[in-house]
Amino acid sequence: MELRITSCNNFFKLKGTLNKSNVEVFQKEFKKAFKTFKVLTISVEALESVDRHGVNALADLHAQSIKNNIQLSIVGLGCKELYDHFKTYEAA
């Protein structure tokens, strides 16, 4: 399944898979969003899978939000790969 990004104002919903083939689209979409909003919420509830490229893209997005003073919230259970990455990151 491809990645689908839907939005309503500053709330973005990701659905499908986030992987190497579509991570560039993801990055472009949120680069534009960072120029528009100072508060963003991303729901990962409907993501079926995320490969390492997708996890890295979300981690980079988090780092960019800190750098640019943008409040970023990632909500939803999403998939295990994403949860494991951020859980390990916090423990370190």
Side-chain angles (χ1 to χ4, degrees), residues 34 60-72 89:
F34 274 15
D60 289 344
L61 189 67
H62 177 257
Q64 289 174 17
S65 71
I66 292 170
K67 179 181 173 185
N68 296 325
N69 199 27
I70 294 173
Q71 183 180 344
L72 175 66
Y89 181 74

Side-chain angles (χ1 to χ4, degrees), residues 1-19:
M1 177 180 227
E2 285 296 312
L3 176 67
R4 181 184 297 178
I5 303 171
T6 56
S7 67
C8 181
N9 294 324
N10 64 340
F11 184 85
F12 292 81
K13 184 176 180 181
L14 305 179
K15 184 175 183 179
T17 60
L18 179 57
N19 56 33

Side-chain angles (χ1 to χ4, degrees), residues 14 18 44 47 50 54-56 58-59 74 76-88:
L14 305 179
L18 179 57
V44 295
L47 276 180
V50 181
V55 171
N56 288 336
L58 280 161
I74 300 174
L77 295 176
C79 60
K80 186 176 180 340
E81 297 89 355
L82 186 59
Y83 174 77
D84 288 345
H85 173 78
F86 283 103
K87 183 178 176 185
T88 303

